[in-house]
Amino acid sequence: MTRAKLPSSLGQEDARRRVDELRREIERHRRLYYVEARPEISDPEYDALERELRALEEKFPALDDPHSPTHRVGGEPIEGFETVAHSEPMLSLDNSFSEEELREFDARLRRLVGDAVSYVVELKIDGLGVALRYDGEGRLARAVTRGDGLRGDDVTANVRTIRSLPLLVEPTGFAFEVRGEVYMPRPALERLNARREEAGEEAFANPRNAAAGSIRLLDPRVVAGRGLRAFVYALHASAEQHARLPKTHDGTLAWLAERGFPVNPHHRTCHSVEEILKFSRECEAKRASLDYDVDGVVAKLDEHRLREEAGSTSKHPRWAVAHKFAAQRATTVLRKIVVQVGRTGALTPVAELEPVGLAGSTVSRATLHNEDEIARKDVREGDTVVLEKGGDVIPKVVAVVEEKRRKGARRFRMPERCPTCGAEVYRPEGEAVRRCVGAACPAKLRNALLHFARRNAMDIEGLGPSLVDQLMEKGMVASAASLYSLRFEELAALERMGEKSARNLLAQIEKSKRNGLARLLFALGVRHVGERAAELLAQRFGSLDAVASAQREDIEKIYELGPAVAESIAHFFADKENRKVIEEIRCAGVSLEKPKEEGAVAARTLEGKTFVLTGTLASMTREEAKREIERRGGRVTSAVTKKTGCVVAGAEPGSKLEKAKALGVEIADEKEFLRMVGREADSG
C-alpha cells in the first residue's frame, strides 16, 4: 500500500487539527457513498484521504482513536465471542404467507387497539439481526447478534468493519440502541463463492448464510474483506428518554437517517391491507433488480403508543407481521447430469440446463446435491424440471414435470469410477456422498494445492488457481510436497511469471516451512480436520508423527473431536501415498512439530474440565491463559453455566463472577490458576 508523505515539520497540534478534519471528511464521503448512494469523489481520491489519516495516526500515536475510520479494516483475531444479554428481547416476527393470513393479522390488531391504525411497511432483508449500542457521546460501544432473542454474541470487532454503519454519530447525551440487519450484497457473495470454489471449498448457498458465517469469523481482517452491509430499522432507549425520541416509526426512520444510519429507502405508510398488498406486489416485482436479497415485506404499527397497547407474545410482537414473497421458480430442460470431483474426492452431481432466466440472472447449472436426492426426486436426463431460488443464490432442482418426460428416459446412476482419474470410488457407511480414492486424481490435486496454500493453512501468497493450472499442465507438481522442490528457472519461464514473481513465490514457500504443526495438519486436507480440530490435535500430541500413531480412543477423548475425526485420521495416515507425501515434506525441511515457543506437550491435568475467564490477569493475556488450559486438556467457553468447572477471576471481573457464585461454580483467583497450570514451576 502506498503511504502518504507528511511534512517533516508537522507539529502535534497541526496534526490534531488535520486528523479531525480528515475524519469528518472521510465519514461524510463514507455516508455519501454507502448510505446515500451519491458519491462526490472518486475511489482513488477517497483512498488518498484514508492513507493520509493512517499516516498521521502512525506518526502521532496519541491521536489514534478506536472509532477512527482507519480501524474499519479489522484488528487482531478475536479470542472468542462473549455472550451478552439484550437490553430488551429481540423477538422474531410472525409470518403471513397469504392475503387471508394478512387480513387476519390486521383484524386481530384492530380489535386490540381500534380502527385508527396506520402501518409503515418495509422490505424484509434476508440477513442477520444485530443490536448496536451507542453511548451518550455517540460512539459505537457494542454490537450483539440476535442469538436466541434474549442473549447474543458480542461481535463488535467485526461490525466495526461494516462501512455502511457509523462508528460515531452526533452525541445525544444518552445511550441508545439501534437494531438492524447485516447482509451480504449479491455481487460480494458471487466474488466470495468464486474464491471458495477455486479453493475447493463449499460455496455459500445464500447471502443470509454468508452474512451469518462472516460475522462470526474470529479474524476481523477477514470479515473486512467480505463486503458486508447493513440496514437499520429500530431505535431503543431507556424509559426516561422516550420523551426525547420520535413518537412514530416513520419519525424513527427519519431520526436514524439524519444521523447517518443506513435506512432502506423502500418503505411506505399504508392505512389498509389493500395498500400493504399493493406495496408488497410492487416490491416483489422489483426484487430481482436489487443487489441484496429480500424475502417479503414487514408491516409495523406506526404509532409507538399503540404498539405498547398491543403488546407482545413470548415470541412475537402483536403489532408487526412479515408478509412473505412466494419462492422464485422457473421451468427448463435438464440436458445432462455431470459429476464434479472436489478436494476431498467427493463426487457431486450437477445439472446442466437449458439456460433460463430466474431471479434476475440466467441459470444454466444447478446442484443436485447427491445420489439420494436424485433418486428421491427421480431426476433424469432430458427431464423438464422446476428450479427454485427462494432466497438461495445457488439454484436447486425442486421437482420434475413427469408428464413431459420423454419415453425411454433412464434413471441416473452415479459412476463406479472417478470421472476425472478412473480410480475406484467408495461410499462410506452412513453417508450420502461417494468419494474418489485415487491419490493422484488431478481434480483432487488441484483443489488440494489451493487448499494447502490458503492463508489460514500454509499461507503461500501468489499460489493461485491460474498458476496451479500451469504447474499441473507442465507436470511440475504431483502433490503438495512437490511445491518444495520447484526450481527458480522453471517458475520464471512460466507465462505471466517472470523472475520477480518466481523469487517471491519461492520465498513464500520457504517461509511456509516454519508455520508449525496446526497449520500443516489443516493444510494436508485430512477430512473432518478443520482449523479448530488441527489446533486441538497439535496441542494434544505435539508432532505429526504422534498424531499419525495416535490410538483412535485417544483422539476421541479430545473435547470437540470424536469418532468421525479419529476414523478419518486413521484412514489418512494408513494410505501409503499420503505417508509418501509426508516423508517428502519432512525431507524438504517443513516443521512437523509445534513451534518451540508454544512449549512442550503438557501433562493432561485439566482433562475434560471447562473454564470461563473473567477480568484481567497480571501474569498473562487471556489468549495465553486459554492456551495453557487447552494444553492441559481443558477447554474455555464464554458463558457460565451449571456445567462450568471453574471460573478464573482476575482483576475487575465482570458479571460472570457473580453468576458463578450464584450457581456454586468453583472460582479460582490468579494465584490458584497459576498453580493449576504449573506456571510457578515452569518459571522456576
Short mmCIF file of all heavy atoms in Angstrom, two decimals, residues 499-526:
data_model
loop_
_atom_site.label_atom_id
_atom_site.label_comp_id
_atom_site.label_asym_id
_atom_site.label_seq_id
_atom_site.Cartn_x
_atom_site.Cartn_y
_atom_site.Cartn_z
N GLU A 499 11.00 -13.25 -13.34
CA GLU A 499 11.96 -13.52 -12.28
C GLU A 499 11.48 -13.02 -10.92
O GLU A 499 11.64 -13.70 -9.90
CB GLU A 499 13.31 -12.89 -12.64
CG GLU A 499 13.98 -13.53 -13.85
CD GLU A 499 15.37 -12.99 -14.09
OE1 GLU A 499 15.81 -12.10 -13.32
OE2 GLU A 499 16.04 -13.46 -15.04
N LYS A 500 10.91 -11.80 -10.88
CA LYS A 500 10.49 -11.24 -9.60
C LYS A 500 9.39 -12.09 -8.96
O LYS A 500 9.46 -12.42 -7.77
CB LYS A 500 9.99 -9.80 -9.79
CG LYS A 500 9.60 -9.13 -8.48
CD LYS A 500 9.16 -7.69 -8.70
CE LYS A 500 8.76 -7.04 -7.38
NZ LYS A 500 8.30 -5.63 -7.59
N SER A 501 8.38 -12.45 -9.74
CA SER A 501 7.28 -13.27 -9.20
C SER A 501 7.78 -14.64 -8.77
O SER A 501 7.33 -15.19 -7.76
CB SER A 501 6.17 -13.42 -10.25
OG SER A 501 5.58 -12.18 -10.54
N ALA A 502 8.71 -15.21 -9.54
CA ALA A 502 9.27 -16.52 -9.18
C ALA A 502 10.00 -16.45 -7.85
O ALA A 502 9.86 -17.33 -6.99
CB ALA A 502 10.19 -17.01 -10.29
N ARG A 503 10.81 -15.40 -7.67
CA ARG A 503 11.53 -15.24 -6.39
C ARG A 503 10.56 -15.06 -5.23
O ARG A 503 10.76 -15.63 -4.15
CB ARG A 503 12.49 -14.05 -6.48
CG ARG A 503 13.72 -14.30 -7.34
CD ARG A 503 14.78 -13.25 -7.09
NE ARG A 503 15.92 -13.46 -7.98
CZ ARG A 503 16.07 -12.85 -9.15
NH1 ARG A 503 15.14 -11.99 -9.56
NH2 ARG A 503 17.12 -13.11 -9.90
N ASN A 504 9.54 -14.24 -5.45
CA ASN A 504 8.56 -14.00 -4.38
C ASN A 504 7.85 -15.30 -3.98
O ASN A 504 7.64 -15.56 -2.79
CB ASN A 504 7.53 -12.96 -4.82
CG ASN A 504 8.12 -11.57 -4.92
OD1 ASN A 504 9.16 -11.29 -4.32
ND2 ASN A 504 7.45 -10.69 -5.65
N LEU A 505 7.47 -16.10 -4.98
CA LEU A 505 6.78 -17.35 -4.69
C LEU A 505 7.69 -18.31 -3.92
O LEU A 505 7.27 -18.92 -2.93
CB LEU A 505 6.29 -18.01 -5.97
CG LEU A 505 5.58 -19.35 -5.79
CD1 LEU A 505 4.32 -19.19 -4.96
CD2 LEU A 505 5.26 -19.99 -7.13
N LEU A 506 8.91 -18.43 -4.35
CA LEU A 506 9.84 -19.33 -3.65
C LEU A 506 10.10 -18.86 -2.23
O LEU A 506 10.26 -19.69 -1.31
CB LEU A 506 11.15 -19.43 -4.44
CG LEU A 506 11.08 -20.20 -5.76
CD1 LEU A 506 12.38 -20.09 -6.53
CD2 LEU A 506 10.72 -21.66 -5.52
N ALA A 507 10.12 -17.54 -2.02
CA ALA A 507 10.29 -17.02 -0.66
C ALA A 507 9.09 -17.37 0.21
O ALA A 507 9.24 -17.72 1.39
CB ALA A 507 10.49 -15.50 -0.71
N GLN A 508 7.89 -17.29 -0.37
CA GLN A 508 6.68 -17.66 0.36
C GLN A 508 6.68 -19.15 0.71
O GLN A 508 6.30 -19.54 1.82
CB GLN A 508 5.44 -17.31 -0.47
CG GLN A 508 5.15 -15.84 -0.59
CD GLN A 508 4.62 -15.25 0.70
OE1 GLN A 508 3.78 -15.84 1.37
NE2 GLN A 508 5.13 -14.09 1.06
N ILE A 509 7.10 -19.97 -0.24
CA ILE A 509 7.15 -21.42 0.00
C ILE A 509 8.16 -21.73 1.10
O ILE A 509 7.90 -22.55 2.00
CB ILE A 509 7.51 -22.16 -1.30
CG1 ILE A 509 6.35 -22.04 -2.31
CG2 ILE A 509 7.81 -23.63 -1.03
CD1 ILE A 509 6.67 -22.57 -3.69
N GLU A 510 9.32 -21.06 1.07
CA GLU A 510 10.34 -21.28 2.10
C GLU A 510 9.82 -20.85 3.47
O GLU A 510 10.01 -21.55 4.47
CB GLU A 510 11.61 -20.50 1.74
CG GLU A 510 12.77 -20.70 2.69
CD GLU A 510 13.30 -22.12 2.70
OE1 GLU A 510 13.16 -22.82 1.67
OE2 GLU A 510 13.86 -22.55 3.73
N LYS A 511 9.13 -19.72 3.53
CA LYS A 511 8.59 -19.22 4.79
C LYS A 511 7.56 -20.18 5.38
O LYS A 511 7.46 -20.33 6.60
CB LYS A 511 7.94 -17.85 4.56
CG LYS A 511 7.30 -17.22 5.81
CD LYS A 511 6.85 -15.80 5.53
CE LYS A 511 5.71 -15.75 4.56
NZ LYS A 511 4.42 -16.21 5.15
N SER A 512 6.82 -20.86 4.51
CA SER A 512 5.77 -21.76 4.99
C SER A 512 6.31 -22.94 5.78
O SER A 512 5.57 -23.58 6.54
CB SER A 512 4.93 -22.26 3.81
OG SER A 512 5.63 -23.25 3.07
N LYS A 513 7.61 -23.24 5.61
CA LYS A 513 8.19 -24.38 6.32
C LYS A 513 8.16 -24.20 7.83
O LYS A 513 8.22 -25.18 8.58
CB LYS A 513 9.64 -24.60 5.87
CG LYS A 513 9.80 -25.03 4.41
CD LYS A 513 11.27 -25.17 4.05
CE LYS A 513 11.45 -25.59 2.59
NZ LYS A 513 12.89 -25.73 2.25
N ARG A 514 8.04 -22.95 8.29
CA ARG A 514 8.11 -22.66 9.72
C ARG A 514 6.74 -22.44 10.34
O ARG A 514 6.63 -21.95 11.46
CB ARG A 514 8.99 -21.43 9.95
CG ARG A 514 10.40 -21.58 9.39
CD ARG A 514 11.27 -20.37 9.71
NE ARG A 514 10.79 -19.15 9.06
CZ ARG A 514 11.11 -18.79 7.83
NH1 ARG A 514 11.89 -19.57 7.10
NH2 ARG A 514 10.66 -17.66 7.32
N ASN A 515 5.67 -22.78 9.64
CA ASN A 515 4.32 -22.49 10.13
C ASN A 515 3.88 -23.37 11.29
O ASN A 515 2.96 -23.01 12.02
CB ASN A 515 3.30 -22.61 8.99
CG ASN A 515 3.31 -21.39 8.09
OD1 ASN A 515 3.78 -20.33 8.49
ND2 ASN A 515 2.83 -21.55 6.88
N GLY A 516 4.47 -24.52 11.46
CA GLY A 516 4.14 -25.36 12.60
C GLY A 516 3.08 -26.41 12.33
O GLY A 516 2.47 -26.48 11.26
N LEU A 517 2.84 -27.22 13.34
CA LEU A 517 2.02 -28.42 13.21
C LEU A 517 0.55 -28.13 12.90
O LEU A 517 -0.03 -28.77 12.02
CB LEU A 517 2.13 -29.26 14.50
CG LEU A 517 1.28 -30.53 14.55
CD1 LEU A 517 1.65 -31.46 13.40
CD2 LEU A 517 1.47 -31.22 15.89
N ALA A 518 -0.07 -27.21 13.62
CA ALA A 518 -1.51 -26.99 13.45
C ALA A 518 -1.84 -26.57 12.02
O ALA A 518 -2.76 -27.10 11.39
CB ALA A 518 -2.01 -25.94 14.45
N ARG A 519 -1.08 -25.63 11.47
CA ARG A 519 -1.33 -25.18 10.10
C ARG A 519 -1.08 -26.30 9.10
O ARG A 519 -1.81 -26.45 8.12
CB ARG A 519 -0.44 -23.98 9.77
CG ARG A 519 -0.98 -22.66 10.31
CD ARG A 519 0.00 -21.54 10.00
NE ARG A 519 -0.59 -20.25 10.31
CZ ARG A 519 -0.93 -19.34 9.40
NH1 ARG A 519 -0.76 -19.59 8.12
NH2 ARG A 519 -1.45 -18.19 9.76
N LEU A 520 -0.02 -27.09 9.33
CA LEU A 520 0.28 -28.19 8.42
C LEU A 520 -0.83 -29.23 8.44
O LEU A 520 -1.26 -29.73 7.38
CB LEU A 520 1.61 -28.83 8.79
CG LEU A 520 2.02 -30.05 7.96
CD1 LEU A 520 2.15 -29.68 6.49
CD2 LEU A 520 3.32 -30.65 8.47
N LEU A 521 -1.31 -29.57 9.63
CA LEU A 521 -2.40 -30.55 9.73
C LEU A 521 -3.63 -30.08 8.95
O LEU A 521 -4.26 -30.85 8.23
CB LEU A 521 -2.78 -30.75 11.20
CG LEU A 521 -2.09 -31.89 11.95
CD1 LEU A 521 -2.42 -31.81 13.43
CD2 LEU A 521 -2.51 -33.23 11.38
N PHE A 522 -3.98 -28.82 9.08
CA PHE A 522 -5.12 -28.28 8.35
C PHE A 522 -4.84 -28.28 6.85
O PHE A 522 -5.69 -28.64 6.03
CB PHE A 522 -5.44 -26.88 8.85
CG PHE A 522 -6.55 -26.20 8.11
CD1 PHE A 522 -7.80 -26.78 7.99
CD2 PHE A 522 -6.34 -24.96 7.51
CE1 PHE A 522 -8.84 -26.15 7.31
CE2 PHE A 522 -7.36 -24.33 6.82
CZ PHE A 522 -8.61 -24.92 6.71
N ALA A 523 -3.60 -27.90 6.48
CA ALA A 523 -3.24 -27.79 5.07
C ALA A 523 -3.26 -29.13 4.35
O ALA A 523 -3.55 -29.20 3.16
CB ALA A 523 -1.86 -27.15 4.93
N LEU A 524 -2.96 -30.21 5.07
CA LEU A 524 -2.92 -31.53 4.44
C LEU A 524 -4.29 -31.98 3.94
O LEU A 524 -4.39 -32.90 3.13
CB LEU A 524 -2.35 -32.56 5.42
CG LEU A 524 -0.84 -32.47 5.68
CD1 LEU A 524 -0.44 -33.41 6.81
CD2 LEU A 524 -0.05 -32.78 4.41
N GLY A 525 -5.34 -31.36 4.43
CA GLY A 525 -6.68 -31.67 3.92
C GLY A 525 -7.26 -32.97 4.44
O GLY A 525 -8.06 -33.61 3.75
N VAL A 526 -6.88 -33.37 5.65
CA VAL A 526 -7.47 -34.57 6.25
C VAL A 526 -8.95 -34.30 6.46
O VAL A 526 -9.34 -33.29 7.05
CB VAL A 526 -6.81 -34.90 7.61
CG1 VAL A 526 -7.37 -36.21 8.16
CG2 VAL A 526 -5.30 -35.00 7.45
#
